[in-house]
Amino acid sequence: MNNRLTEKSPKDESDMADRVGVKAAQMLKARRNRKPEVWFGLGMMGTIGWSVCVPTLLGAGIGIWLDKHHPGAHSWTLALLMAGLTLGCFNAWLWVARQDAPMREEPENDES
């Protein structure tokens, strides 16, 4: 066997170590900055949907009950439906803002 083929020069080893270091850094960065999957997005839409839907339906249900038991000139159902929708939208906005804040605070470090 030829020893020349099996021996590596210090420059070759240094280049290889540099390439391995770059690849390792890329893998670590990819793990930290993993993009959310489709299921995560669907789950988030479901959470936001329920956070709007539940207060809206509760407002409508209470409004229907009030209209049956305490009728008046104005519709309790419509008023409480709108109040529930407003509360649900505000709740969803707060939830999204809370989820978004940590993502915006993460430092972008291209060297690591």
Side-chain angles (χ1 to χ4, degrees):
M1 266 182 125
N2 191 351
N3 283 343
R4 185 169 209 154
L5 292 175
T6 58
E7 291 180 18
K8 293 186 178 181
S9 70
K11 183 179 185 257
D12 290 340
E13 288 177 8
S14 174
D15 289 343
M16 177 105 160
D18 289 343
R19 285 185 294 199
V20 169
V22 168
K23 288 287 184 186
Q26 288 173 346
M27 287 175 60
L28 288 173
K29 184 179 178 185
R31 282 186 186 158
R32 276 195 310 270
N33 299 327
R34 219 170 40 184
K35 298 216 183 323
E37 296 179 6
V38 172
W39 294 113
F40 176 78
L42 290 174
M44 185 182 299
M45 284 192 308
T47 302
I48 293 170
W50 280 109
S51 69
V52 173
C53 181
V54 169
T56 303
L57 292 176
L58 282 174
I62 293 170
I64 290 170
W65 184 84
L66 282 172
D67 279 340
K68 284 183 181 176
H69 290 77
H70 303 287
H74 300 289
S75 171
W76 284 105
T77 303
L78 184 59
L80 291 177
L81 176 80
M82 292 306 294
L85 180 63
T86 303
L87 181 66
C89 288
F90 182 70
N91 185 27
W93 177 71
L94 284 177
W95 187 84
V96 169
R98 239 181 278 135
Q99 296 297 316
D100 189 47
M103 286 187 256
R104 292 188 184 273
E105 290 174 2
E106 256 183 30
E108 271 301 313
N109 192 356
D110 291 335
E111 294 180 19
S112 62

